[in-house]
Amino acid sequence: MRGLAKTDRTEGAMELIDVDRPEPGPGEALVEVAYAGLCGSDAGIYEFESAFERMELPTIIGHEYAGTVVETGTDVAEYEVGDRVVERPIRGCGECYQCRIGEENVCRNSTITGVDHHGAYTQFVAVPEGALHPIPDGLALADAAIVEPTSIGARAVIQNSRTSPGDRVLVAGPGPIGQLTAQIARAQGGDVAVAGVGQDAEYRLPLAEELGFDTINVEEADLDAIREERTDGVGYDVVFDTTGHPSGLTMAVDEVRKGGQIVLVGQTGETTMPYSPLVRGEIDLQCSYASMYEDFERSLRMIDSGTVDTDSFVDDRFSLLEADDAFEAFVAGQTCKPRFDVSELHA
């Protein structure tokens, strides 16, 4: 079978390679992949950021996907052939302290699909049944392929923020996680604005407007004046930083109200800033990483109900057969959530 793999420790270096079709081991199901999304971490692999130095190459990437069980190994009890599923791609060890207390998303020994082992940009993946999640009847596989990034936004908003009806919320970063976070924060009753930079003005900020949000281009707007208008000068109750850029956190500190909350979702890297204003303002700085079973369950329901709009959100223009186009467009901010039809690889 064919799969799109990272093949060299340089920028780009994505190639279609041939690998053996996996055989499901004990406790594993073999899933035929139908659709798969492109995530910011996939783009990080494409650019080969330092976080991915641990990868053994070549590795087939991709971790946001939906598919159908076509074979099961021994001892599989919960799934059978024909079941439609998604995968929770961070696989905990089940033995460390974090796993034992129900914090598998921060397992000390976790492995990640598409990073530490072959991922979903291929025809078949073998998955431990404990990492699978069933898709509700009636929800299309194409829509279910967006559940993994949705679950990250769901955890950030529902589990880790204190967003309440009437709260004034700012989402910094109109990338895929930002767009999803904004939709979920609105569903929680927040009055949400989405901020981006000049690069986002072509595609991502207009997408946020199409989804019904007020938008702010921070490179052109007077942030002080907008904050005065939107919050009566108080500041935002909750600011979500989904930018993954060092400037996101410093902007969040400027925009949040005293006694408010910053939820750090994007992986910022290194940044330098004065921390005394956070202490003096008693600002809650909350981190949110990945997701767990309940976040997937909520996300599937929100997509199924239309609370999260996948029709406007996804971009089906791209092909795994010419994947560089998707990655370059993503990095340049000319798309937000590419979704691949993986059946192309069967030809």
Side-chain angles (χ1 to χ4, degrees):
M1 68 180 191
R2 294 189 295 173
L4 184 70
K6 183 71 175 179
T7 58
D8 189 70
R9 299 179 184 278
T10 57
E11 184 171 350
M14 292 289 190
E15 299 178 21
L16 285 170
I17 65 171
D18 291 312
V19 296
D20 292 334
R21 170 174 163 159
E23 295 291 335
E28 291 184 334
L30 186 67
V31 179
E32 182 176 13
V33 181
Y35 295 91
L38 192 158
C39 173
S41 60
D42 297 319
I45 295 172
Y46 181 81
E47 296 185 300
F48 209 63
E49 297 172 352
S50 59
F52 303 103
E53 288 286 350
R54 73 179 190 271
M55 291 179 67
E56 295 183 6
L57 304 182
T59 294
I60 295 171
I61 71 166
H63 61 274
E64 305 175 358
Y65 72 95
T68 304
V69 174
V70 293
E71 186 179 346
T72 58
T74 58
D75 302 325
V76 172
E78 296 185 25
Y79 297 95
E80 58 187 27
V81 172
D83 286 346
R84 302 177 318 131
V85 294
V86 294
E87 180 188 345
R88 299 189 304 281
I90 297 181
R91 302 182 188 176
C93 69
E95 298 178 356
C96 71
Y97 179 78
Q98 280 72 26
C99 285
R100 290 181 185 275
I101 63 172
E103 297 175 355
E104 295 91 345
N105 62 315
V106 291
C107 166
R108 288 181 289 177
N109 308 305
S110 66
T111 60
I112 302 175
T113 297
V115 177
D116 300 304
H117 47 261
H118 286 325
Y121 289 173
T122 189
Q123 295 165 265
F124 300 97
V125 288
V127 186
E129 70 169 329
L132 293 173
H133 203 113
I135 298 172
D137 293 340
L139 181 62
L141 286 171
D143 293 328
I146 311 301
V147 70
E148 194 276 340
T150 305
S151 72
I152 293 173
R155 183 167 188 81
V157 176
I158 300 169
Q159 188 73 21
N160 286 329
S161 90
R162 54 182 191 235
T163 303
S164 299
D167 278 354
R168 291 170 289 202
V169 176
L170 178 66
V171 176
I177 300 302
Q179 303 274 2
L180 291 163
T181 297
Q183 292 187 64
I184 298 166
R186 179 171 61 191
Q188 291 291 99
D191 177 12
V192 183
V194 177
V197 296
Q199 176 178 278
D200 300 316
E202 176 183 348
Y203 187 96
R204 293 180 173 182
L205 287 175
L207 172 59
E209 292 174 359
E210 182 180 346
L211 291 169
F213 299 104
D214 292 337
T215 61
I216 304 166
N217 184 334
V218 301
E219 293 181 359
E220 296 181 355
D222 183 338
L223 294 180
D224 291 340
I226 292 174
R227 184 171 62 254
E228 180 71 31
E229 177 183 353
R230 291 191 63 86
T231 73
D232 300 320
V234 173
Y236 296 90
D237 298 292
V238 182
V239 179
F240 294 92
D241 175 17
T242 71
T243 63
H245 190 275
S247 63
L249 180 57
T250 55
M251 186 186 82
V253 173
D254 292 336
E255 297 300 315
V256 73
R257 68 170 175 84
K258 288 189 175 184
Q261 183 187 38
I262 297 170
V263 183
L264 186 58
V265 187
Q267 298 185 42
T268 297
E270 296 184 11
T271 188
T272 301
M273 54 178 273
Y275 288 89
S276 294
L278 277 76
V279 177
R280 291 197 299 265
E282 206 170 62
I283 294 167
D284 177 13
L285 180 59
Q286 170 70 49
C287 296
S288 188
Y289 178 67
S291 55
M292 295 175 61
Y293 183 96
E294 62 186 334
D295 308 309
F296 268 72
E297 186 67 18
R298 286 171 172 150
S299 297
L300 284 163
R301 294 175 190 172
M302 286 189 289
I303 293 172
D304 197 20
S305 69
T307 300
V308 170
D309 179 347
T310 57
D311 290 336
S312 301
F313 179 65
V314 299
D315 188 347
D316 291 320
R317 293 178 293 164
F318 302 100
S319 166
L320 281 174
L321 302 178
E322 297 177 352
D324 281 353
D325 293 342
F327 283 98
E328 293 294 339
F330 187 93
V331 170
Q334 296 167 354
T335 185
C336 188
K337 177 51 68 177
R339 179 177 60 191
F340 301 115
D341 181 347
V342 182
S343 67
E344 291 182 310
L345 299 179
H346 292 247

